[in-house]
Amino acid sequence: MGGAGAAALLALGACSPAGSPDRASSGGKVSGTVTVFAAASLRESFTTLGERFEKDHPGTEVTFSFGGSDSLAASITGGAPADVFAAAGTKTMEIVADHGDVAGTPVTFARNQLEIATLPGNPDRISSLKDLTRPGLKVVLCDTSVPCGAAARTALDAGGLKLTPVSYEQDVKSALTKVELREADAAVVYKTDVRAAGDKVDGVAFPESAKAVNDCPIARLKNAPNPEAAKAFIALVRSAEGQKVLTGAGFRRP
């Protein structure tokens, strides 16, 4: 399908009712391994949900591959076996859908907003996105090919700001790690990543982030080796229990 068609699918999925086919299992017994490709920003919350899934379905195993959404999409379209894809943005889901690798309708299960991660105590007194343009400040961004980088570019454009980072990272966790290791003074990451880092970084909100909120879609893959488990995992993510875990991690409800 074309990009417009994929976008329409995502829009439809975001509004699909609780009784949609992938919301609930078809009733088959859930067993075996379910392989989930998920954006790096989902690591903590999905790991928790994976543990709950295994507890709810004794004998099952959830295997995760976390990384940049673009890299994961390339792996899927290249034939890597997986059951579920959860992306940090709609454009990377469109790539997989356009390639014909999505079964059913992708659904938006959460939204994520950017925040500035600074060194603990914010020694550089960063209080705005504009502050990141100060000379001598070492700032890291995600590459624009991944959702966190594209969102950062949108936010910078909304503020009429130009910023040359010391590096572009391939996923949001790599950008955050640069600050945690004090290899950078600040990074533009997601609010959820700042929260997950605890006292390793401080977070600074900025108004331009409202212009760059990412929808996070999830889908069962067409050639899923374990489609029943894929449906059940997606159902857990979208359930009240799953939403509680996600909002607790700092995600916004869809």
Side-chain angles (χ1 to χ4, degrees), residues 13-124:
C15 300
S16 61
S20 61
D22 275 358
R23 175 66 187 227
S25 172
S26 61
K29 178 175 173 57
V30 176
S31 61
T33 298
V34 56
T35 302
V36 179
F37 280 25
S41 54
L42 295 164
R43 181 183 298 273
E44 291 80 12
S45 53
F46 267 37
T47 297
T48 297
L49 289 175
E51 292 170 352
R52 295 192 182 187
F53 184 88
E54 292 174 349
K55 183 178 180 180
D56 290 344
H57 304 282
T60 59
E61 180 181 359
V62 183
T63 299
F64 290 107
S65 181
F66 294 107
S69 293
D70 64 324
S71 297
L72 296 174
S75 294
I76 292 167
T77 58
D83 297 294
V84 175
F85 179 40
T90 57
K91 288 186 178 180
T92 44
M93 182 62 77
E94 287 173 16
I95 292 171
V96 177
D98 285 349
H99 198 264
D101 290 323
V102 168
T105 303
V107 291
T108 297
F109 66 92
R111 292 188 167 93
N112 213 352
Q113 193 161 349
L114 297 174
E115 198 164 80
I116 299 167
T118 74
L119 297 173
N122 193 5
D124 295 297

Side-chain angles (χ1 to χ4, degrees), residues 14 74 106 191 204:
K191 178 181 179 180
V204 177

Side-chain angles (χ1 to χ4, degrees), residues 131-200:
D131 285 345
L132 298 185
T133 65
R134 294 200 310 245
L137 200 66
K138 294 184 291 184
V139 179
V140 172
L141 298 177
C142 294
D143 191 86
T144 53
S145 65
V146 295
C148 63
R153 177 54 53 198
T154 298
L156 288 164
D157 289 346
L161 301 171
K162 292 186 177 181
L163 170 62
T164 302
V166 294
S167 71
Y168 287 102
E169 300 300 320
Q170 292 304 309
D171 64 66
V172 70
K173 293 299 186 186
S174 297
L176 184 69
T177 297
K178 291 284 187 180
V179 180
E180 293 177 337
L181 296 178
R182 298 180 178 267
E183 295 175 3
D185 301 311
V188 180
V189 297
Y190 293 121
K191 178 181 179 180
T192 53
D193 297 294
V194 172
R195 182 174 296 191
D199 59 4
K200 294 179 181 178

